[in-house]
Amino acid sequence: MSARDESGRTIDQAEEAIQAAMRASDLAELDLLIADDLAFSGPDGAVVGKAADLEAHRTGATRFERIEETLRRTTETPEGGTTETTAVATVWNEGRWVDVSLRWVRDWRIIDGRWQVASGSVTILG
């Protein structure tokens, strides 16, 4: 049985919500789904926090036209859980749209009554 946050959302529903928020650059939803002390490693190895992640969406530096999930593995622990998601995405990169395969690993915790990403990474698969 999957753990649920105070709204009844499972970790998989939270993963679906963050993907939708990323596609829409929905700052309000991203703010709710990302922990204040986020540490997230990008494809270049740089670690960003919540403020930088939200700012990248706000300014359009990070934009997703498409995220099509091809595989997801979800593991729950007493402390929270992890999603490992592989997807084909169309992202804005250096002034143009690029199709790329990505893998996100997100460590989720229930913080303030809701699932939030506490840490994670994204890597380019090709």
Side-chain angles (χ1 to χ4, degrees):
M1 179 153 175
S2 295
R4 294 182 181 270
D5 64 13
E6 289 178 0
S7 72
R9 185 182 274 177
T10 66
I11 190 173
D12 282 309
Q13 290 169 325
E15 176 66 31
E16 291 161 11
I18 202 164
Q19 288 181 38
M22 290 165 56
R23 279 190 297 275
S25 286
D26 182 339
L27 297 178
E29 184 70 2
L30 288 168
D31 186 45
L32 292 173
L33 290 164
I34 299 172
D36 289 341
D37 59 353
L38 173 75
F40 199 86
S41 298
D44 61 357
V47 178
V48 299
K50 179 177 182 172
D53 191 27
L54 293 176
E55 181 67 7
H57 280 278
R58 189 189 68 71
T59 63
T62 298
R63 288 192 284 177
F64 291 90
E65 181 177 77
R66 168 178 70 122
I67 300 172
E68 291 179 17
E69 188 176 298
T70 57
L71 176 69
R72 182 188 310 166
R73 289 186 187 97
T74 303
T75 307
E76 288 193 46
T77 66
E79 299 79 32
T82 301
T83 54
E84 180 182 336
T85 303
T86 303
V88 177
T90 303
V91 300
W92 185 254
N93 184 39
E94 297 182 7
R96 63 188 177 98
W97 291 106
V98 178
D99 293 317
V100 63
S101 291
L102 299 168
R103 179 175 42 242
W104 284 275
V105 177
R106 295 187 238 275
D107 294 316
W108 294 88
R109 303 287 177 263
I110 295 178
I111 302 168
D112 297 331
R114 63 184 181 276
W115 284 110
Q116 294 182 39
V117 178
S119 64
S121 63
V122 61
T123 54
I124 298 172
L125 301 177

mmCIF file of all heavy atoms in Angstrom, residues 3-52:
data_model
loop_
_atom_site.group_PDB
_atom_site.id
_atom_site.type_symbol
_atom_site.label_atom_id
_atom_site.label_comp_id
_atom_site.label_asym_id
_atom_site.label_seq_id
_atom_site.Cartn_x
_atom_site.Cartn_y
_atom_site.Cartn_z
ATOM 1 N N ALA A 3 2.060 5.066 0.588
ATOM 2 C CA ALA A 3 1.851 6.155 1.540
ATOM 3 C C ALA A 3 1.180 7.320 0.821
ATOM 4 O O ALA A 3 1.429 7.569 -0.357
ATOM 5 C CB ALA A 3 3.183 6.599 2.130
ATOM 6 N N ARG A 4 0.365 8.028 1.552
ATOM 7 C CA ARG A 4 -0.334 9.187 0.995
ATOM 8 C C ARG A 4 -0.053 10.404 1.865
ATOM 9 O O ARG A 4 0.085 10.283 3.073
ATOM 10 C CB ARG A 4 -1.838 8.930 0.922
ATOM 11 C CG ARG A 4 -2.177 7.823 -0.060
ATOM 12 C CD ARG A 4 -3.674 7.604 -0.167
ATOM 13 N NE ARG A 4 -3.967 6.533 -1.089
ATOM 14 C CZ ARG A 4 -4.174 6.692 -2.400
ATOM 15 N NH1 ARG A 4 -4.141 7.891 -2.930
ATOM 16 N NH2 ARG A 4 -4.428 5.664 -3.171
ATOM 17 N N ASP A 5 0.031 11.563 1.206
ATOM 18 C CA ASP A 5 0.200 12.791 1.971
ATOM 19 C C ASP A 5 -1.168 13.254 2.473
ATOM 20 O O ASP A 5 -2.176 12.561 2.285
ATOM 21 C CB ASP A 5 0.946 13.860 1.163
ATOM 22 C CG ASP A 5 0.197 14.347 -0.074
ATOM 23 O OD1 ASP A 5 -1.006 14.070 -0.215
ATOM 24 O OD2 ASP A 5 0.833 15.035 -0.887
ATOM 25 N N GLU A 6 -1.217 14.411 3.119
ATOM 26 C CA GLU A 6 -2.475 14.886 3.706
ATOM 27 C C GLU A 6 -3.584 15.117 2.680
ATOM 28 O O GLU A 6 -4.763 15.078 3.015
ATOM 29 C CB GLU A 6 -2.236 16.158 4.522
ATOM 30 C CG GLU A 6 -1.474 15.901 5.798
ATOM 31 C CD GLU A 6 -1.186 17.161 6.597
ATOM 32 O OE1 GLU A 6 -1.584 18.266 6.173
ATOM 33 O OE2 GLU A 6 -0.541 17.024 7.653
ATOM 34 N N SER A 7 -3.214 15.362 1.423
ATOM 35 C CA SER A 7 -4.228 15.558 0.377
ATOM 36 C C SER A 7 -4.676 14.235 -0.239
ATOM 37 O O SER A 7 -5.549 14.224 -1.089
ATOM 38 C CB SER A 7 -3.693 16.489 -0.718
ATOM 39 O OG SER A 7 -2.709 15.805 -1.494
ATOM 40 N N GLY A 8 -4.034 13.121 0.174
ATOM 41 C CA GLY A 8 -4.365 11.816 -0.370
ATOM 42 C C GLY A 8 -3.509 11.413 -1.553
ATOM 43 O O GLY A 8 -3.705 10.358 -2.145
ATOM 44 N N ARG A 9 -2.533 12.228 -1.905
ATOM 45 C CA ARG A 9 -1.678 11.999 -3.064
ATOM 46 C C ARG A 9 -0.615 10.938 -2.744
ATOM 47 O O ARG A 9 0.015 10.984 -1.701
ATOM 48 C CB ARG A 9 -1.006 13.316 -3.446
ATOM 49 C CG ARG A 9 -0.185 13.268 -4.712
ATOM 50 C CD ARG A 9 0.472 14.611 -4.978
ATOM 51 N NE ARG A 9 -0.441 15.477 -5.713
ATOM 52 C CZ ARG A 9 -0.169 16.734 -6.046
ATOM 53 N NH1 ARG A 9 0.961 17.298 -5.700
ATOM 54 N NH2 ARG A 9 -1.043 17.441 -6.718
ATOM 55 N N THR A 10 -0.423 10.002 -3.681
ATOM 56 C CA THR A 10 0.653 9.016 -3.566
ATOM 57 C C THR A 10 1.935 9.595 -4.155
ATOM 58 O O THR A 10 1.903 10.631 -4.853
ATOM 59 C CB THR A 10 0.314 7.724 -4.326
ATOM 60 O OG1 THR A 10 0.256 8.018 -5.732
ATOM 61 C CG2 THR A 10 -0.989 7.103 -3.839
ATOM 62 N N ILE A 11 3.047 8.915 -3.939
ATOM 63 C CA ILE A 11 4.315 9.364 -4.508
ATOM 64 C C ILE A 11 4.245 9.366 -6.037
ATOM 65 O O ILE A 11 4.774 10.268 -6.686
ATOM 66 C CB ILE A 11 5.496 8.519 -3.972
ATOM 67 C CG1 ILE A 11 6.845 9.136 -4.364
ATOM 68 C CG2 ILE A 11 5.387 7.081 -4.414
ATOM 69 C CD1 ILE A 11 8.041 8.452 -3.721
ATOM 70 N N ASP A 12 3.576 8.368 -6.622
ATOM 71 C CA ASP A 12 3.457 8.344 -8.086
ATOM 72 C C ASP A 12 2.601 9.496 -8.597
ATOM 73 O O ASP A 12 2.902 10.087 -9.635
ATOM 74 C CB ASP A 12 2.898 6.993 -8.554
ATOM 75 C CG ASP A 12 3.967 5.907 -8.545
ATOM 76 O OD1 ASP A 12 5.045 6.127 -9.121
ATOM 77 O OD2 ASP A 12 3.712 4.836 -7.970
ATOM 78 N N GLN A 13 1.568 9.844 -7.869
ATOM 79 C CA GLN A 13 0.762 11.009 -8.257
ATOM 80 C C GLN A 13 1.564 12.295 -8.118
ATOM 81 O O GLN A 13 1.412 13.218 -8.927
ATOM 82 C CB GLN A 13 -0.516 11.059 -7.429
ATOM 83 C CG GLN A 13 -1.485 9.951 -7.785
ATOM 84 C CD GLN A 13 -2.636 9.826 -6.814
ATOM 85 O OE1 GLN A 13 -2.479 10.037 -5.610
ATOM 86 N NE2 GLN A 13 -3.805 9.479 -7.330
ATOM 87 N N ALA A 14 2.438 12.365 -7.114
ATOM 88 C CA ALA A 14 3.303 13.534 -6.967
ATOM 89 C C ALA A 14 4.282 13.619 -8.137
ATOM 90 O O ALA A 14 4.546 14.714 -8.661
ATOM 91 C CB ALA A 14 4.045 13.481 -5.636
ATOM 92 N N GLU A 15 4.820 12.481 -8.572
ATOM 93 C CA GLU A 15 5.716 12.456 -9.729
ATOM 94 C C GLU A 15 4.981 12.944 -10.977
ATOM 95 O O GLU A 15 5.518 13.743 -11.751
ATOM 96 C CB GLU A 15 6.278 11.049 -9.941
ATOM 97 C CG GLU A 15 7.145 10.901 -11.173
ATOM 98 C CD GLU A 15 8.449 11.682 -11.135
ATOM 99 O OE1 GLU A 15 9.014 11.869 -10.034
ATOM 100 O OE2 GLU A 15 8.910 12.110 -12.215
ATOM 101 N N GLU A 16 3.760 12.487 -11.177
ATOM 102 C CA GLU A 16 2.971 12.945 -12.322
ATOM 103 C C GLU A 16 2.710 14.449 -12.230
ATOM 104 O O GLU A 16 2.780 15.170 -13.230
ATOM 105 C CB GLU A 16 1.656 12.174 -12.392
ATOM 106 C CG GLU A 16 1.859 10.725 -12.769
ATOM 107 C CD GLU A 16 0.693 9.818 -12.432
ATOM 108 O OE1 GLU A 16 -0.395 10.338 -12.090
ATOM 109 O OE2 GLU A 16 0.868 8.590 -12.508
ATOM 110 N N ALA A 17 2.449 14.932 -11.024
ATOM 111 C CA ALA A 17 2.190 16.361 -10.829
ATOM 112 C C ALA A 17 3.420 17.199 -11.132
ATOM 113 O O ALA A 17 3.312 18.274 -11.737
ATOM 114 C CB ALA A 17 1.705 16.616 -9.404
ATOM 115 N N ILE A 18 4.598 16.724 -10.719
ATOM 116 C CA ILE A 18 5.797 17.536 -10.975
ATOM 117 C C ILE A 18 6.124 17.567 -12.463
ATOM 118 O O ILE A 18 6.548 18.593 -12.993
ATOM 119 C CB ILE A 18 7.002 17.117 -10.116
ATOM 120 C CG1 ILE A 18 7.984 18.294 -10.026
ATOM 121 C CG2 ILE A 18 7.683 15.859 -10.635
ATOM 122 C CD1 ILE A 18 9.010 18.189 -8.925
ATOM 123 N N GLN A 19 5.892 16.452 -13.161
ATOM 124 C CA GLN A 19 6.114 16.467 -14.606
ATOM 125 C C GLN A 19 5.174 17.453 -15.296
ATOM 126 O O GLN A 19 5.599 18.212 -16.176
ATOM 127 C CB GLN A 19 5.924 15.064 -15.187
ATOM 128 C CG GLN A 19 7.033 14.102 -14.828
ATOM 129 C CD GLN A 19 6.808 12.744 -15.449
ATOM 130 O OE1 GLN A 19 6.346 12.632 -16.590
ATOM 131 N NE2 GLN A 19 7.124 11.695 -14.705
ATOM 132 N N ALA A 20 3.913 17.463 -14.897
ATOM 133 C CA ALA A 20 2.953 18.410 -15.482
ATOM 134 C C ALA A 20 3.351 19.843 -15.163
ATOM 135 O O ALA A 20 3.280 20.727 -16.024
ATOM 136 C CB ALA A 20 1.543 18.117 -14.967
ATOM 137 N N ALA A 21 3.796 20.087 -13.936
ATOM 138 C CA ALA A 21 4.219 21.434 -13.539
ATOM 139 C C ALA A 21 5.459 21.868 -14.316
ATOM 140 O O ALA A 21 5.586 23.039 -14.688
ATOM 141 C CB ALA A 21 4.477 21.478 -12.035
ATOM 142 N N MET A 22 6.366 20.935 -14.575
ATOM 143 C CA MET A 22 7.557 21.255 -15.364
ATOM 144 C C MET A 22 7.184 21.621 -16.792
ATOM 145 O O MET A 22 7.707 22.588 -17.343
ATOM 146 C CB MET A 22 8.526 20.066 -15.345
ATOM 147 C CG MET A 22 9.182 19.838 -14.002
ATOM 148 S SD MET A 22 9.982 18.216 -13.839
ATOM 149 C CE MET A 22 11.099 18.221 -15.224
ATOM 150 N N ARG A 23 6.269 20.846 -17.395
ATOM 151 C CA ARG A 23 5.838 21.149 -18.770
ATOM 152 C C ARG A 23 5.201 22.529 -18.856
ATOM 153 O O ARG A 23 5.387 23.250 -19.827
ATOM 154 C CB ARG A 23 4.854 20.086 -19.268
ATOM 155 C CG ARG A 23 5.497 18.818 -19.757
ATOM 156 C CD ARG A 23 4.494 17.913 -20.460
ATOM 157 N NE ARG A 23 3.437 17.451 -19.580
ATOM 158 C CZ ARG A 23 3.511 16.377 -18.780
ATOM 159 N NH1 ARG A 23 4.620 15.656 -18.757
ATOM 160 N NH2 ARG A 23 2.494 16.027 -18.035
ATOM 161 N N ALA A 24 4.448 22.896 -17.832
ATOM 162 C CA ALA A 24 3.728 24.173 -17.833
ATOM 163 C C ALA A 24 4.527 25.315 -17.209
ATOM 164 O O ALA A 24 4.077 26.456 -17.232
ATOM 165 C CB ALA A 24 2.408 24.013 -17.076
ATOM 166 N N SER A 25 5.710 25.003 -16.656
ATOM 167 C CA SER A 25 6.463 25.979 -15.848
ATOM 168 C C SER A 25 5.524 26.626 -14.835
ATOM 169 O O SER A 25 5.508 27.843 -14.649
ATOM 170 C CB SER A 25 7.161 27.023 -16.723
ATOM 171 O OG SER A 25 8.278 26.450 -17.368
ATOM 172 N N ASP A 26 4.744 25.790 -14.171
ATOM 173 C CA ASP A 26 3.771 26.216 -13.166
ATOM 174 C C ASP A 26 4.513 26.475 -11.854
ATOM 175 O O ASP A 26 4.745 25.560 -11.061
ATOM 176 C CB ASP A 26 2.711 25.138 -12.998
ATOM 177 C CG ASP A 26 1.623 25.503 -12.009
ATOM 178 O OD1 ASP A 26 1.828 26.382 -11.146
ATOM 179 O OD2 ASP A 26 0.541 24.875 -12.092
ATOM 180 N N LEU A 27 4.886 27.724 -11.636
ATOM 181 C CA LEU A 27 5.707 28.079 -10.475
ATOM 182 C C LEU A 27 5.017 27.780 -9.150
ATOM 183 O O LEU A 27 5.669 27.336 -8.202
ATOM 184 C CB LEU A 27 6.113 29.550 -10.538
ATOM 185 C CG LEU A 27 6.985 29.944 -11.728
ATOM 186 C CD1 LEU A 27 7.279 31.429 -11.696
ATOM 187 C CD2 LEU A 27 8.260 29.134 -11.767
ATOM 188 N N ALA A 28 3.711 28.005 -9.066
ATOM 189 C CA ALA A 28 2.993 27.757 -7.814
ATOM 190 C C ALA A 28 3.023 26.267 -7.463
ATOM 191 O O ALA A 28 3.280 25.896 -6.315
ATOM 192 C CB ALA A 28 1.559 28.259 -7.914
ATOM 193 N N GLU A 29 2.776 25.416 -8.444
ATOM 194 C CA GLU A 29 2.783 23.967 -8.195
ATOM 195 C C GLU A 29 4.205 23.477 -7.920
ATOM 196 O O GLU A 29 4.433 22.664 -7.024
ATOM 197 C CB GLU A 29 2.166 23.216 -9.376
ATOM 198 C CG GLU A 29 2.040 21.724 -9.167
ATOM 199 C CD GLU A 29 0.994 21.293 -8.149
ATOM 200 O OE1 GLU A 29 0.283 22.144 -7.576
ATOM 201 O OE2 GLU A 29 0.887 20.075 -7.911
ATOM 202 N N LEU A 30 5.189 23.963 -8.683
ATOM 203 C CA LEU A 30 6.579 23.577 -8.429
ATOM 204 C C LEU A 30 7.004 23.986 -7.020
ATOM 205 O O LEU A 30 7.680 23.225 -6.328
ATOM 206 C CB LEU A 30 7.507 24.205 -9.475
ATOM 207 C CG LEU A 30 7.412 23.608 -10.876
ATOM 208 C CD1 LEU A 30 8.152 24.497 -11.879
ATOM 209 C CD2 LEU A 30 7.936 22.189 -10.906
ATOM 210 N N ASP A 31 6.585 25.162 -6.594
ATOM 211 C CA ASP A 31 6.910 25.638 -5.247
ATOM 212 C C ASP A 31 6.381 24.673 -4.188
ATOM 213 O O ASP A 31 7.053 24.401 -3.188
ATOM 214 C CB ASP A 31 6.344 27.040 -5.030
ATOM 215 C CG ASP A 31 6.761 27.640 -3.708
ATOM 216 O OD1 ASP A 31 7.945 27.545 -3.337
ATOM 217 O OD2 ASP A 31 5.883 28.200 -3.024
ATOM 218 N N LEU A 32 5.193 24.130 -4.397
ATOM 219 C CA LEU A 32 4.609 23.181 -3.450
ATOM 220 C C LEU A 32 5.290 21.817 -3.484
ATOM 221 O O LEU A 32 5.344 21.113 -2.475
ATOM 222 C CB LEU A 32 3.114 22.998 -3.737
ATOM 223 C CG LEU A 32 2.221 24.204 -3.456
ATOM 224 C CD1 LEU A 32 0.810 23.928 -3.954
ATOM 225 C CD2 LEU A 32 2.221 24.542 -1.978
ATOM 226 N N LEU A 33 5.802 21.426 -4.642
ATOM 227 C CA LEU A 33 6.369 20.094 -4.821
ATOM 228 C C LEU A 33 7.862 20.003 -4.544
ATOM 229 O O LEU A 33 8.413 18.907 -4.510
ATOM 230 C CB LEU A 33 6.088 19.600 -6.246
ATOM 231 C CG LEU A 33 4.636 19.270 -6.548
ATOM 232 C CD1 LEU A 33 4.396 19.176 -8.046
ATOM 233 C CD2 LEU A 33 4.241 17.976 -5.841
ATOM 234 N N ILE A 34 8.513 21.145 -4.357
ATOM 235 C CA ILE A 34 9.967 21.166 -4.136
ATOM 236 C C ILE A 34 10.245 21.629 -2.715
ATOM 237 O O ILE A 34 9.760 22.672 -2.285
ATOM 238 C CB ILE A 34 10.658 22.101 -5.156
ATOM 239 C CG1 ILE A 34 10.422 21.602 -6.580
ATOM 240 C CG2 ILE A 34 12.145 22.215 -4.850
ATOM 241 C CD1 ILE A 34 10.900 22.568 -7.660
ATOM 242 N N ALA A 35 11.064 20.856 -1.999
ATOM 243 C CA ALA A 35 11.431 21.198 -0.627
ATOM 244 C C ALA A 35 12.306 22.455 -0.613
ATOM 245 O O ALA A 35 13.090 22.692 -1.539
ATOM 246 C CB ALA A 35 12.183 20.040 0.032
ATOM 247 N N ASP A 36 12.165 23.236 0.442
ATOM 248 C CA ASP A 36 12.926 24.481 0.557
ATOM 249 C C ASP A 36 14.432 24.253 0.518
ATOM 250 O O ASP A 36 15.173 25.088 0.020
ATOM 251 C CB ASP A 36 12.554 25.223 1.841
ATOM 252 C CG ASP A 36 11.156 25.824 1.763
ATOM 253 O OD1 ASP A 36 10.614 25.986 0.650
ATOM 254 O OD2 ASP A 36 10.599 26.127 2.838
ATOM 255 N N ASP A 37 14.891 23.111 1.036
ATOM 256 C CA ASP A 37 16.334 22.840 1.077
ATOM 257 C C ASP A 37 16.777 21.872 -0.014
ATOM 258 O O ASP A 37 17.749 21.129 0.134
ATOM 259 C CB ASP A 37 16.752 22.335 2.457
ATOM 260 C CG ASP A 37 16.014 21.065 2.862
ATOM 261 O OD1 ASP A 37 15.083 20.641 2.152
ATOM 262 O OD2 ASP A 37 16.390 20.480 3.899
ATOM 263 N N LEU A 38 16.091 21.893 -1.151
ATOM 264 C CA LEU A 38 16.409 21.036 -2.287
ATOM 265 C C LEU A 38 17.890 21.117 -2.657
ATOM 266 O O LEU A 38 18.476 22.198 -2.694
ATOM 267 C CB LEU A 38 15.583 21.464 -3.511
ATOM 268 C CG LEU A 38 15.936 20.766 -4.827
ATOM 269 C CD1 LEU A 38 15.404 19.345 -4.839
ATOM 270 C CD2 LEU A 38 15.394 21.563 -6.007
ATOM 271 N N ALA A 39 18.462 19.954 -2.986
ATOM 272 C CA ALA A 39 19.792 19.859 -3.599
ATOM 273 C C ALA A 39 19.619 18.961 -4.820
ATOM 274 O O ALA A 39 19.389 17.754 -4.679
ATOM 275 C CB ALA A 39 20.801 19.280 -2.634
ATOM 276 N N PHE A 40 19.693 19.548 -6.015
ATOM 277 C CA PHE A 40 19.406 18.817 -7.245
ATOM 278 C C PHE A 40 20.579 18.955 -8.201
ATOM 279 O O PHE A 40 20.992 20.069 -8.522
ATOM 280 C CB PHE A 40 18.125 19.358 -7.892
ATOM 281 C CG PHE A 40 17.512 18.420 -8.871
ATOM 282 C CD1 PHE A 40 16.633 17.427 -8.449
ATOM 283 C CD2 PHE A 40 17.814 18.501 -10.213
ATOM 284 C CE1 PHE A 40 16.076 16.541 -9.349
ATOM 285 C CE2 PHE A 40 17.264 17.627 -11.125
ATOM 286 C CZ PHE A 40 16.384 16.642 -10.699
ATOM 287 N N SER A 41 21.104 17.826 -8.678
ATOM 288 C CA SER A 41 22.241 17.816 -9.610
ATOM 289 C C SER A 41 21.738 17.785 -11.043
ATOM 290 O O SER A 41 20.959 16.903 -11.414
ATOM 291 C CB SER A 41 23.115 16.588 -9.376
ATOM 292 O OG SER A 41 23.649 16.595 -8.087
ATOM 293 N N GLY A 42 22.206 18.738 -11.836
ATOM 294 C CA GLY A 42 21.846 18.796 -13.244
ATOM 295 C C GLY A 42 22.763 17.931 -14.085
ATOM 296 O O GLY A 42 23.724 17.353 -13.586
ATOM 297 N N PRO A 43 22.501 17.867 -15.388
ATOM 298 C CA PRO A 43 23.316 17.034 -16.280
ATOM 299 C C PRO A 43 24.787 17.436 -16.310
ATOM 300 O O PRO A 43 25.650 16.609 -16.574
ATOM 301 C CB PRO A 43 22.684 17.235 -17.658
ATOM 302 C CG PRO A 43 21.382 17.886 -17.431
ATOM 303 C CD PRO A 43 21.412 18.520 -16.081
ATOM 304 N N ASP A 44 25.068 18.700 -16.008
ATOM 305 C CA ASP A 44 26.449 19.180 -16.008
ATOM 306 C C ASP A 44 27.138 18.971 -14.653
ATOM 307 O O ASP A 44 28.292 19.352 -14.481
ATOM 308 C CB ASP A 44 26.498 20.660 -16.381
ATOM 309 C CG ASP A 44 25.727 21.543 -15.402
ATOM 310 O OD1 ASP A 44 25.107 21.012 -14.457
ATOM 311 O OD2 ASP A 44 25.743 22.769 -15.596
ATOM 312 N N GLY A 45 26.429 18.380 -13.695
ATOM 313 C CA GLY A 45 26.997 18.137 -12.372
ATOM 314 C C GLY A 45 26.786 19.268 -11.384
ATOM 315 O O GLY A 45 27.052 19.115 -10.199
ATOM 316 N N ALA A 46 26.298 20.408 -11.857
ATOM 317 C CA ALA A 46 26.048 21.541 -10.960
ATOM 318 C C ALA A 46 24.854 21.221 -10.064
ATOM 319 O O ALA A 46 23.860 20.650 -10.505
ATOM 320 C CB ALA A 46 25.778 22.811 -11.763
ATOM 321 N N VAL A 47 24.971 21.588 -8.809
ATOM 322 C CA VAL A 47 23.895 21.372 -7.845
ATOM 323 C C VAL A 47 23.147 22.684 -7.657
ATOM 324 O O VAL A 47 23.749 23.719 -7.405
ATOM 325 C CB VAL A 47 24.442 20.864 -6.494
ATOM 326 C CG1 VAL A 47 23.328 20.697 -5.476
ATOM 327 C CG2 VAL A 47 25.189 19.549 -6.687
ATOM 328 N N VAL A 48 21.821 22.622 -7.829
ATOM 329 C CA VAL A 48 20.992 23.818 -7.668
ATOM 330 C C VAL A 48 20.014 23.609 -6.525
ATOM 331 O O VAL A 48 19.675 22.479 -6.181
ATOM 332 C CB VAL A 48 20.223 24.182 -8.959
ATOM 333 C CG1 VAL A 48 21.177 24.473 -10.100
ATOM 334 C CG2 VAL A 48 19.252 23.094 -9.347
ATOM 335 N N GLY A 49 19.560 24.706 -5.983
ATOM 336 C CA GLY A 49 18.556 24.684 -4.930
ATOM 337 C C GLY A 49 17.209 25.081 -5.491
ATOM 338 O O GLY A 49 17.041 25.328 -6.689
ATOM 339 N N LYS A 50 16.258 25.180 -4.602
ATOM 340 C CA LYS A 50 14.879 25.496 -4.995
ATOM 341 C C LYS A 50 14.775 26.852 -5.679
ATOM 342 O O LYS A 50 14.145 26.973 -6.732
ATOM 343 C CB LYS A 50 13.975 25.464 -3.764
ATOM 344 C CG LYS A 50 12.523 25.789 -4.053
ATOM 345 C CD LYS A 50 11.670 25.664 -2.804
ATOM 346 C CE LYS A 50 10.219 25.926 -3.086
ATOM 347 N NZ LYS A 50 9.364 25.615 -1.919
ATOM 348 N N ALA A 51 15.387 27.876 -5.104
ATOM 349 C CA ALA A 51 15.270 29.226 -5.673
ATOM 350 C C ALA A 51 15.795 29.271 -7.104
ATOM 351 O O ALA A 51 15.150 29.856 -7.988
ATOM 352 C CB ALA A 51 15.998 30.248 -4.798
ATOM 353 N N ALA A 52 16.930 28.639 -7.355
ATOM 354 C CA ALA A 52 17.506 28.637 -8.699
ATOM 355 C C ALA A 52 16.639 27.850 -9.672
ATOM 356 O O ALA A 52 16.469 28.248 -10.829
ATOM 357 C CB ALA A 52 18.917 28.073 -8.667
#
